[in-house]
């Protein structure tokens, strides 16, 4: 079992360094890989803020990537829901996770945009 960090995932998704892309591709395609939610949040932050990627592109790319059978996430279904929310709402990714989990849990927040997402307004 391999735990991936944000830079490794970014090299795989962006293919901006061919040598690192090939190494990451080989590893990711041939091993069971764990991605902590914190690492995924960092990947999204870097794609959004550093690479100025569009929310649609980020969401679609990550959903495809996370649907690989060998990619292991804590609560994969809610993370996929979170990415769909991220695509359509102007929320940061952590708030999207909370919004996705609002069907299972009562979410308490003072954040107006998050309250609107979870239906508390």
């Amino acid at each position: 079992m391999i735990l991936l960090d944000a830079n490794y995932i970014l090299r795989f998704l962006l293919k901006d360094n061919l040598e690192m892309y090939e190494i990451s591709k080989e590893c990711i395609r041939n091993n069971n890989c764990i991605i902590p939610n914190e690492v995924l949040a960092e990947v999204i932050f870097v794609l959004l803020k550093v690479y100025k990627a569009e929310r649609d592109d980020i969401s679609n790319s990550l959903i495809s990537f996370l649907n690989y059978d060998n990619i292991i996430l804590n609560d994969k279904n809610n993370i996929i829901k979170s990415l769909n929310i991220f695509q359509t709402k102007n929320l940061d990714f952590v708030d999207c996770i909370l919004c996705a989990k609002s069907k299972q849990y009562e979410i308490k927040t003072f954040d107006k945009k998050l309250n609107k997402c979870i239906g508390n307004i």
Side-chain angles (χ1 to χ4, degrees):
M1 196 75 68
I2 295 173
L3 193 135
L4 301 177
D5 93 325
N7 287 319
Y8 211 82
I9 296 166
L10 288 164
R11 297 298 68 82
F12 178 78
L13 294 174
L14 296 169
K15 301 176 188 167
D16 57 350
N17 179 311
L18 196 53
E19 182 181 350
M20 289 180 186
Y21 165 71
E22 291 297 332
I23 292 167
S24 64
K25 180 177 79 170
E26 176 75 19
C27 176
I28 290 168
R29 295 221 169 131
N30 294 309
N31 294 285
N32 287 328
C33 298
I34 299 170
I35 302 174
N37 292 346
E38 301 85 353
V39 169
L40 189 59
E42 182 181 0
V43 168
I44 291 168
F45 178 83
V46 169
L47 290 171
L48 194 62
K49 300 298 182 184
V50 176
Y51 288 91
K52 307 294 186 206
E54 297 292 326
R55 286 174 172 263
D56 284 353
D57 294 335
I58 294 169
S59 181
N60 291 332
S61 296
L62 285 173
I63 288 170
S64 294
F65 173 65
L66 298 176
N67 277 319
Y68 289 3
D69 289 336
N70 63 320
I71 298 295
I72 300 160
L73 288 166
N74 183 13
D75 202 9
K76 190 181 252 191
N77 289 332
N78 272 327
I79 294 300
I80 300 296
K81 286 180 193 174
S82 302
L83 286 165
N84 287 316
I85 294 167
F86 178 79
Q87 192 170 12
T88 60
K89 306 280 186 197
N90 189 22
L91 293 170
D92 65 44
F93 183 64
V94 173
D95 286 346
C96 292
I97 293 171
L98 293 172
C99 186
K101 291 184 177 201
S102 69
K103 302 297 183 235
Q104 298 166 286
Y105 303 98
E106 182 180 359
I107 308 295
K108 295 292 187 185
T109 180
F110 294 112
D111 185 302
K112 290 178 183 176
K113 289 192 291 184
L114 178 54
N115 267 319
K116 186 175 180 181
C117 184
I118 60 179
N120 284 346
I121 292 179

